[in-house]
């Protein structure tokens, strides 16, 4: 099958062990399909009681001051096409972040009745309408790996499948040497910053199907991150989960807010207050 070649140098691709043919012509492998926060999300019936606020918890494995950084300020990346997530440290940036968060609408979190991952379309569609990178011949997971990684090497003869790369994980603040394989591909997962189940409970259940597909594959809502850290997030909102690296929390809040505002999605009052606190410190 003829492959559609990529020409965007900032974007990454990865794949797993059982090949399936994508509409646009790139192959991914089954081991990589669950590599995002939606796979780790629990159904509402399985959810545990509310977690203690992450503001009250120490950061896990606190990175050194010289921890690696490879990312873009979310304030300078409103469409999500530039790599990673950089901390917001300047007073003016944090003031702009607070102003953005203040625009969020709030409401109570619904029960989530009827939520299924499939309600947001097949995983990593290359055919979602109205989002950057769609229709380029590589699935969304591959695009995000190519966007966020460094020193990317592709599978021989393939412009989509990443064989090896280096990722500066924004959540835990450490470098990950990624190597594609049955036991290693899940070391890097693709996180939905605003989880799909969370979005469903906040109103996405009433959206048209094409809007949910767009939300699920929009690079603004997607980050390549450490797999274990992503799994710990599940479908939590900011009041229950924040990145372990405290330095990135304001930037994370901005990205969460950008997604919610783009899709006119409210957040809970507790989540809004938590996000605002991250940019006051």
């Amino acid at each position: 099958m003829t492959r559609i070649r990529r020409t965007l140098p900032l974007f990454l691709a990865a794949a797993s062990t059982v090949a399936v043919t994508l509409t646009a012509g790139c192959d991914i492998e089954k081991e990589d399909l669950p590599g995002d926060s939606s796979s780790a999300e629990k159904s509402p019936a399985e959810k545990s009681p509310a977690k203690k606020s992450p503001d009250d918890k120490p950061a896990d494995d606190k990175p050194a001051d010289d921890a690696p950084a490879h990312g873009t300020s979310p304030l300078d990346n409103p469409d999500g096409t530039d790599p990673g997530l950089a901390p917001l440290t300047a007073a003016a940036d944090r003031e702009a972040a607070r102003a953005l968060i203040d625009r969020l609408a709030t409401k109570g979190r619904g029960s989530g009745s009827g939520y299924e991952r499939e309600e947001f379309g097949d995983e990593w569609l290359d055919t979602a309408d109205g989002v950057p990178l769609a229709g380029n011949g590589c699935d969304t997971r591959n695009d995000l790996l190519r966007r966020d990684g460094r020193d990317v090497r592709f599978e021989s003869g393939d412009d989509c499948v990443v064989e090896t790369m280096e990722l500066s994980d924004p959540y835990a603040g450490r470098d990950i040497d990624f190597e594609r394989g049955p036991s290693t591909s899940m070391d890097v997962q693709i996180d939905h910053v605003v989880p799909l189940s969370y979005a469903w409970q906040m109103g996405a259940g009433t959206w048209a199907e094409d809007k949910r597909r767009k939300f699920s594959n929009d690079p603004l809502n997607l980050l390549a991150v450490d797999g274990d850290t992503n799994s710990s997030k599940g479908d939590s909102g900011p009041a229950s989960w924040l990145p372990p690296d405290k330095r990135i929390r304001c930037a994370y809040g901005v990205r969460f807010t950008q997604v919610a505002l783009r899709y006119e999605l409210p957040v809970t009052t507790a989540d809004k207050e938590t996000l605002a606190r991250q940019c006051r410190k």
Side-chain angles (χ1 to χ4, degrees):
M1 179 177 290
T2 300
R3 296 187 182 278
I4 302 174
R5 296 186 63 84
R6 298 286 313 271
T7 59
L8 299 176
L10 289 176
F11 304 96
L12 289 148
S16 33
T17 54
V18 180
V20 294
T21 301
L22 294 178
T23 302
C26 275
D27 295 335
I28 60 173
E29 297 181 81
K30 194 172 182 180
E31 73 179 27
D32 282 338
L33 292 178
D36 71 300
S37 62
S38 64
S39 306
E41 292 169 11
K42 299 178 181 178
S43 67
E46 295 172 323
K47 290 184 60 145
S48 57
K51 301 175 185 177
K52 188 177 180 181
S53 169
D55 289 335
D56 299 328
K57 299 178 181 179
D60 298 329
D61 299 324
K62 184 177 179 181
D65 291 339
D66 60 351
H70 173 67
T72 309
S73 162
L75 295 171
D76 297 331
N77 187 25
D79 60 358
T81 55
D82 291 330
L85 197 63
L88 297 178
T89 57
D93 286 345
R94 295 172 80 84
E95 182 179 358
R98 294 193 299 271
L100 193 69
I101 293 166
D102 191 54
R103 293 169 51 195
L104 288 167
T106 60
K107 77 166 198 174
R109 189 165 175 169
S111 68
S113 177
Y115 168 75
E116 297 288 345
R117 173 61 180 83
E118 291 76 15
E119 294 291 342
F120 289 82
D122 294 337
E123 288 187 288
W124 309 139
L125 290 170
D126 185 44
T127 56
D129 293 329
V131 295
L133 314 184
N136 62 11
C138 297
D139 63 276
T140 305
R141 173 178 161 86
N142 290 340
D143 284 333
L144 270 295
L145 290 170
R146 184 167 185 169
R147 182 195 70 182
D148 289 350
R150 305 191 305 271
D151 300 327
V152 178
R153 295 181 182 274
F154 294 97
E155 183 182 53
S156 178
D158 197 303
D159 288 336
C160 288
V161 179
V162 171
E163 194 71 32
T164 63
M165 72 171 199
E166 202 173 273
L167 176 74
S168 289
D169 168 46
Y171 286 177
R174 65 184 184 87
D175 271 349
I176 300 171
D177 292 323
F178 171 82
E179 182 176 359
R180 174 176 170 262
S183 62
T184 56
S185 286
M186 294 297 288
D187 290 347
V188 172
Q189 298 180 13
I190 307 300
D191 178 44
H192 283 101
V193 177
V194 179
L196 304 186
S197 177
Y198 180 97
W200 183 271
Q201 293 172 63
M202 300 307 294
T206 65
W207 293 352
E209 184 179 351
D210 61 344
K211 184 176 180 179
R212 290 197 294 267
R213 287 197 300 267
K214 179 179 176 180
F215 181 85
S216 179
N217 291 278
D218 190 338
L220 183 65
N221 194 28
L222 298 169
L223 286 171
V225 299
D226 171 64
D228 289 341
T229 305
N230 182 50
S231 295
S232 74
K233 175 181 175 179
D235 69 348
S236 299
S240 297
W241 187 92
L242 289 168
D245 185 353
K246 291 184 178 181
R247 299 171 305 166
I248 205 69
R249 289 180 176 179
C250 179
Y252 175 82
V254 169
R255 177 57 61 85
F256 196 101
T257 298
Q258 288 171 323
V259 175
L261 291 175
R262 172 176 288 185
Y263 288 89
E264 300 179 322
L265 193 71
V267 303
T268 69
T269 298
D271 287 335
K272 181 175 180 177
E273 291 174 348
T274 298
L275 293 176
R277 281 198 299 274
Q278 309 317 307
C279 297
R280 286 201 294 265
K281 299 175 181 178

